[in-house]
Amino acid sequence: MNKNFLFPYETIRPIQKQFMDDVWNCLNTKRSMIAHAPTGLGKTVAALAPALTFALEHNLNIIFLTSRHTQHVIALETLRKIKTTYSLSFIASSIIGKKWMCSQSGVENMFSSEFSEFCRVLREEDKCDYYLKTKKNNQETADAALLVSQLSAESPIPIDTLIKDARKKGMCPYEIGQFLAQQAQVIVTDYYYIFHPKIGENFLAKTNKKLENTILIIDEGHNLASRIRETMSTQLSNLQIQGAIKEAIKFSLEETRLLLIKLQDVLSTLADGVKGEEVIECDDLISLVSKIKPIESLISLFEHDGKIVRTAQQRSFIGSIADFLNLWIGVDDGFVRYISVRDSSKGSLVTIIYRCLDPSYVTKPIIDAAYMVLLMSGTLTPTEMYADLLGFPLNTYEQEYESPFDENNRLTLICPAVTTKYSSRSEDQFQRIAKICADIVNTVPGNSALFFPSYVLLNKINEYFQVLNRKTSFLEQSDLSTQEKHQLLETFKSYNKTGAVLLGVASGSFGEGIDLPGDLLQCVVVVGLPLSKPDLETQQLIRYYHEKFGKGWDYGYVLPAVTKTLQNAGRCIRSETDRGVVVFLDERYAWPQYIRCFPSSWELKITKDCTSMISDFFMSQGSISSNKEDNQ
């Protein structure tokens, strides 16, 4: 290796060496980088080792962004290992969403925008004892300074430890986290601390960090575009207005009550003659609202009264309407506004939506401003799509790294015998899918996971699957709590010797982010393609990317679905000694427009007879035991 990076382990894989050298070269040339880094490469340490080496030499900061709490832990453990191995004195900190660090009771049930306003009101009116003990005149109190000093000396520490220590002292964990981040050379945090326009600007200001002096490492980067779209989107329904009217009555806000009734009439006017969904313009709403009251005055009144309500009961429909109107009058380019009219048990449901189509509206200025940006994930193929979607500069270094795993340890099959294509769905098709799935999991010696495009298909196919399946099965449900999901997964793991089946949804809680190494999972079956509904929003996304890049079908429809399936497949092989089977069960996976989306290093086999190949795979090399005891 040409450079002695701060790599804390004795052995460096060849792929890791290449990755680190590439990161180092990009840092030296201030060139952004997009890396498809398959599972097992060790991308966290391969990114942090050269980045921290460079940052300490050039007095720069690192902000490591990830959407997963588990990845926070891995990043902090890696930094601790580097720190102790090389006896360094740098400070590293972690911070998560403000709501999830708050010690006030009941806030976990609030929407983010509601919590933000609730927190602001408590602070401004000196009603939060945690805040008052932590901060005074915009400076840390003596007690807070002492705690931050203690945490700095122990850093990097898990965010759970910071929260626990702050609460034990009666202080605000979030503010303690901010003070610690001010001193830190490395911060591990969530996407929106940089990529939410208001939160990001505030966070950088409070931590005294400047993008031009910051190396941004974005982990699980395949999620960033969709997260930005969600963050920058908003909607308003007649049910929300009805809730706001009840609030106005409860708190004797008579002027607001009358205005809300008129606003409800505005939605009814917009919905007149609409069946399903239709695009509308910004002024379609504003012109009608302005006949009631100037939009700025209406927003101001709703903000004022929403503050009154949130002080008393945390959540406010009135305040959320003010938030919606503020966003509605935003930019046009890269967004779509539309109205949806649906029948519901409570009558007609009317919703007006302001939806972000183009995340580069937010990401491009940040990427351009940062010292260097590294976007990485195990599913960033094709890299050029992510460069386009997020607005990376033309000189960005894009690299798809090979898997460090022996392909002989993974059997990857495409089974074109069935399909979940909408036009082909039938009871007969569901029975055939169930039969193939049951044959597969009954052949696999250990645990298997089946991932479906939707809960509807999962439940429909499971009616037939349960009759044929000889193993214990566990079903993901849309309303499971975090604790229930954790318990379900732990129980599923305990069946690793006898074998069980987990049935989940491609975009659900278990399709991405769970780690099942060793013999905890030996087979994944991806049933069908989780394509977006061909609704107005999807059509607009396809249209927008066709006009911008000439790739609307790929960027707006096909590739996002394939990315989900690749994430599902990635649950199977998690370490170098793992052996397992991945089956893509749908005829469309064999079509040229879909098969081209798979990583080039994968050895795909197309067959309608999965079970015999799976049986041979597990029988070969004495692999019924999978040679996985080393991972226990």
Side-chain angles (χ1 to χ4, degrees), residues 45-274:
V45 67
L48 284 171
L52 184 60
T53 304
F54 193 89
L56 294 177
E57 288 181 3
H58 295 83
N59 195 29
L60 299 174
N61 303 303
I62 298 173
I63 298 181
F64 188 101
L65 303 171
T66 179
S67 61
R68 292 163 49 197
H69 188 114
T70 53
Q71 197 59 32
H72 277 239
V73 175
I74 293 171
L76 290 171
E77 288 176 348
T78 301
L79 290 164
R80 175 173 287 280
K81 180 74 173 176
I82 292 174
K83 188 174 182 179
T84 54
T85 300
Y86 292 93
S87 301
L88 299 173
S89 60
F90 68 88
I91 296 173
S93 70
S94 176
I95 194 164
I96 58 175
K98 189 176 185 180
K99 182 176 75 171
W100 305 111
M101 298 180 74
C102 183
S103 300
Q104 296 287 345
S105 61
V107 296
E108 63 276 2
N109 297 319
M110 301 172 69
F111 294 118
S112 296
S113 59
E114 292 175 328
F115 170 77
S116 179
E117 180 63 17
F118 169 73
C119 176
R120 185 180 67 82
V121 170
L122 289 187
R123 286 185 284 109
E124 289 181 355
E125 298 184 359
D126 292 337
K127 292 183 178 179
C128 180
D129 292 335
Y130 299 103
Y131 182 80
L132 292 172
K133 193 170 182 180
T134 310
K135 204 168 184 180
K136 186 175 183 179
N137 298 326
N138 214 33
Q139 299 292 324
E140 57 188 337
T141 62
D143 288 340
L146 179 60
L147 178 58
V148 171
S149 177
Q150 293 170 349
L151 294 173
S152 298
E154 298 170 6
S155 81
I157 58 171
I159 189 64
D160 295 340
T161 300
L162 184 151
I163 293 172
K164 182 181 69 175
D165 289 354
R167 287 178 177 173
K168 191 183 298 183
K169 301 285 187 181
M171 298 181 196
C172 172
Y174 172 76
E175 293 297 339
I176 293 296
Q178 290 274 19
F179 287 131
L180 184 59
Q182 285 182 8
Q183 302 177 15
Q185 284 81 43
V186 187
I187 302 172
V188 181
T189 189
D190 297 284
Y191 293 157
Y192 53 80
Y193 274 110
I194 293 297
F195 289 107
H196 186 288
K198 290 183 179 179
I199 294 174
E201 183 178 345
N202 185 50
F203 177 71
L204 290 169
K206 291 182 73 171
T207 56
N208 298 321
K209 302 293 186 286
K210 295 182 178 180
L211 283 174
E212 58 264 34
N213 297 323
T214 299
I215 300 165
L216 288 181
I217 301 175
I218 307 168
D219 191 32
E220 301 300 322
H222 63 277
N223 285 321
L224 184 58
S226 59
R227 284 283 296 270
I228 296 295
R229 290 194 191 107
E230 290 294 333
T231 298
M232 299 305 296
S233 300
T234 186
Q235 63 182 42
L236 173 66
S237 72
N238 54 350
L239 292 183
Q240 287 174 268
I241 297 176
Q242 291 169 20
I245 291 171
K246 291 178 181 178
E247 281 181 358
I249 294 172
K250 179 180 179 179
F251 289 90
S252 301
L253 305 169
E254 183 60 18
E255 180 185 2
T256 292
R257 183 185 71 85
L258 295 173
L259 289 169
L260 287 167
I261 292 172
K262 293 179 179 179
L263 183 60
Q264 195 168 35
D265 292 339
V266 166
L267 258 66
S268 296
T269 300
L270 288 171
D272 188 33
V274 175

